[in-house]
Amino acid sequence: MIGDTNQNKKILAHLYNDVSKEMFGVGTTLLKVSISGALVTIQAKHKRAARSTALEGEVPSLKMEVDFHLSLLYKRKLAEQLATYFHDPIEVVLRDYDAKTQWAFTNILFSTS
């Protein structure tokens, strides 16, 4: 089980922000990490990427589809990064992103068995 320590929170925040920078070219403006037993919750306010703004103005339905697929990719990349730092296997990564407000909530459940 992942310990609720400042060091673990820093690692989680750093990894989350690194994935954001890698995928979108921008990091987050606000990031809060909470750990409760095997559950990690990350609350993040993202910066709006210029490409995202352009696509939203031209083809909003396509932007929504792209956001969905990027969220799937984000979860996979984050899980891969987490696996390099934490020994406990990850059971699931759940992420909800609201394009209008740029808020994302990510729950990571580490396996307890």
Side-chain angles (χ1 to χ4, degrees):
M1 182 171 351
I2 186 170
D4 185 4
T5 66
N6 284 336
Q7 181 65 23
N8 282 341
K9 288 178 181 180
K10 285 180 185 177
I11 291 170
L12 288 159
H14 182 72
L15 293 174
Y16 185 94
N17 208 35
D18 282 353
V19 172
S20 182
K21 287 178 185 176
E22 176 188 339
M23 288 187 60
F24 309 118
V26 292
T28 59
T29 59
L30 182 80
L31 189 61
K32 181 181 178 191
V33 177
S34 304
I35 302 172
S36 178
L39 177 65
V40 173
T41 299
I42 300 173
Q43 302 169 41
K45 176 88 170 173
H46 287 262
K47 293 179 184 177
R48 187 173 295 273
R51 293 174 290 200
S52 180
T53 303
L55 190 57
E56 186 175 53
E58 292 297 317
V59 190
S61 61
L62 179 58
K63 183 192 178 297
M64 288 177 56
E65 185 173 345
V66 168
D67 283 346
F68 171 77
H69 289 285
L70 285 173
S71 191
L72 293 176
L73 180 59
Y74 197 101
K75 293 188 304 183
R76 186 178 52 124
K77 286 186 172 284
L78 181 59
E80 290 169 358
Q81 290 296 317
L82 292 170
T84 65
Y85 283 89
F86 297 101
H87 300 295
D88 296 332
I90 296 169
E91 192 164 325
V92 67
V93 176
L94 303 169
R95 184 171 190 262
D96 192 17
Y97 170 74
D98 181 69
K100 182 178 178 184
T101 64
Q102 302 295 300
W103 276 102
F105 288 80
T106 304
N107 288 311
I108 304 155
L109 184 60
F110 285 88
S111 180
T112 56
S113 52

